[in-house]
Amino acid sequence: MKCTTKRPGFECSFMTKKGCAFPGGACFEIIDKCEGCARVITTEAGKFCSVYPHPEMKWRRGVCNFATHVQPKVVKDESGKKINPLKAAKRAARRR
Ligand code: SF4
């Protein structure tokens, strides 16, 4: 359904006939770390993310996985091959 709150006219899965179902009743504005991202949209109410209603939450545990302007840090092993950071942490823990 199309948004009628902060991003009027944009399709949103949180919009219902009774209004916005996202906690708080509307989207939250972007944070400083979002500046430069291609997913930022500007409306009369301010700047918002086009794919996630609460941008600050997306940055709480590191780089936002939807960000277009920042790449997550790639972990490489001794030979220079990319490795899964979770597996690398488990391997490192086993060596201790
Ligand atoms: S995709 Fe991530 S970085 Fe980009 S505007 Fe949305 S929350 Fe911010």
Side-chain angles (χ1 to χ4, degrees):
M1 234 178 132
K2 291 201 181 206
C3 178
T4 57
T5 59
K6 304 263 176 125
R7 301 182 305 149
F10 285 89
E11 278 298 326
C12 181
S13 56
F14 289 102
M15 206 63 203
T16 67
K17 288 178 182 170
K18 292 179 180 173
C20 181
F22 192 73
C27 289
F28 291 80
E29 285 201 59
I30 61 162
I31 60 172
D32 291 346
K33 292 174 184 171
C34 296
E35 291 293 346
C37 180
R39 299 186 202 280
V40 174
I41 53 173
T42 307
T43 68
E44 286 181 7
K47 289 179 171 182
F48 300 92
C49 177
S50 62
V51 293
Y52 196 71
H54 200 328
E56 191 176 351
M57 289 295 138
K58 274 289 174 200
W59 287 92
R60 205 170 53 169
R61 294 189 179 180
V63 175
C64 168
N65 60 327
F66 295 135
T68 61
H69 61 312
V70 182
Q71 294 296 314
K73 192 176 160 192
V74 176
V75 180
K76 293 184 177 181
D77 66 4
E78 303 85 38
S79 62
K81 280 174 48 183
K82 283 188 200 172
I83 52 171
N84 182 326
L86 291 175
K87 288 182 180 175
K90 285 180 184 174
R91 260 186 235 124
R94 258 187 268 141
R95 281 187 221 131
R96 284 184 218 148

